[in-house]
Amino acid sequence: MKRFLKCMIVESSDLLYAGLVAMLGQIRAGVQVVRTQDVSRLREQIKREKPDVLLINPLWAGGETPSRIKATTDRPDLLCVAFLSDLSSLSVVTEYDAQISIYDGFEQIRDRMEALSPKDSEEEKTLTQREQEIVTYVVKGFTNKQIADKLFLSQHTVVTHRRNIASKLNIHSSAGLTVYAIANKLVRLEDIGGGMKGA
């Protein structure tokens, strides 16, 4: 059974905070939320609350970076997720473990939060429905762009899913993914053969 994921949200806007809490509350993985609006007390609150995930608006972080936060709170395992309220902040998120945006849909946010959720050992290799769909398209020879178009996702989201799939399954080759997909009945052998002939 999955335990709750404890998230600390660092966001000054009540509207953005309330919207994010409502969205996170619908995620099946279960999320417990604490909030801070005082960046100067962030380290103290992280030490006291012990969150699994820090959701922080990089533009409102007061110069704080994930590496500095992790080092000064002695929490190298803390996942720092950039909560983007503005497309211009895309350039400052390279150091974050993941990112979500006010422009993301429910499914995208749910999939990212579920990927961050601590899991029991039995669940570590279980793919979400979306990840299974992506495996199917990858094995059939679709590019990231084609998968994104088919599933109405951004290419960045597809790449994130593929990274999560590789991490969960510890499979880093197309051949290995193909064997996994056939063994788990995600595709039929003839589906792959047809795709290979067209390649």
Side-chain angles (χ1 to χ4, degrees), residues 110-176:
R110 183 199 65 207
D111 288 350
R112 288 187 195 142
M113 293 308 295
E114 284 184 352
L116 295 172
S117 296
K119 298 169 182 66
D120 291 337
S121 57
E122 290 177 13
E123 294 174 324
E124 286 178 359
K125 293 187 177 184
T126 304
L127 299 183
T128 65
Q129 183 177 350
R130 178 63 83 195
E131 288 169 342
Q132 289 176 12
E133 289 175 317
I134 288 174
V135 166
T136 301
Y137 284 121
V138 168
V139 168
K140 289 181 180 179
F142 284 71
T143 65
N144 288 343
K145 182 176 182 351
Q146 290 169 326
I147 295 169
D149 291 344
K150 281 264 189 206
L151 299 177
F152 304 103
L153 301 172
S154 71
Q155 285 188 64
H156 175 76
T157 300
V158 172
V159 169
T160 300
H161 279 304
R162 291 188 66 172
R163 195 176 303 129
N164 291 339
I165 291 164
S167 175
K168 281 183 179 181
L169 302 178
N170 198 24
I171 296 174
H172 302 281
S173 70
S174 297

Side-chain angles (χ1 to χ4, degrees), residues 30-48:
V31 177
Q32 179 185 359
V33 177
V34 293
R35 181 185 189 187
T36 182
Q37 292 179 286
D38 186 355
V39 177
S40 67
R41 297 183 57 222
L42 180 60
R43 288 177 180 80
E44 173 189 319
Q45 289 182 303
I46 289 171
K47 288 177 182 177
R48 185 179 65 244

Side-chain angles (χ1 to χ4, degrees), residues 48-113:
R48 185 179 65 244
E49 296 290 345
K50 297 178 177 49
D52 300 302
V53 177
L54 182 68
L55 286 159
I56 186 167
N57 185 334
L59 298 179
W60 193 70
E64 293 288 358
T65 63
S67 58
R68 222 178 300 160
I69 291 168
K70 291 177 185 186
T72 56
T73 59
D74 196 28
R75 287 290 310 280
D77 61 327
L78 179 64
L79 295 169
C80 294
V81 178
F83 175 44
L84 306 176
S85 60
D86 183 322
L87 289 177
S88 67
S89 55
L90 282 170
S91 61
V92 297
V93 299
T94 55
E95 198 179 319
Y96 287 81
D97 298 302
Q99 66 186 42
I100 59 175
S101 164
I102 61 171
Y103 302 103
D104 290 338
F106 170 75
E107 202 170 270
Q108 291 171 289
I109 293 174
R110 183 199 65 207
D111 288 350
R112 288 187 195 142
M113 293 308 295

Side-chain angles (χ1 to χ4, degrees), residues 163-198:
R163 195 176 303 129
N164 291 339
I165 291 164
S167 175
K168 281 183 179 181
L169 302 178
N170 198 24
I171 296 174
H172 302 281
S173 70
S174 297
L177 207 54
T178 301
V179 170
Y180 172 86
I182 293 169
N184 288 278
K185 298 181 177 24
L186 297 178
V187 294
R188 297 174 302 168
L189 193 55
E190 52 268 26
D191 293 337
I192 299 166
M196 292 173 130
K197 287 175 190 169

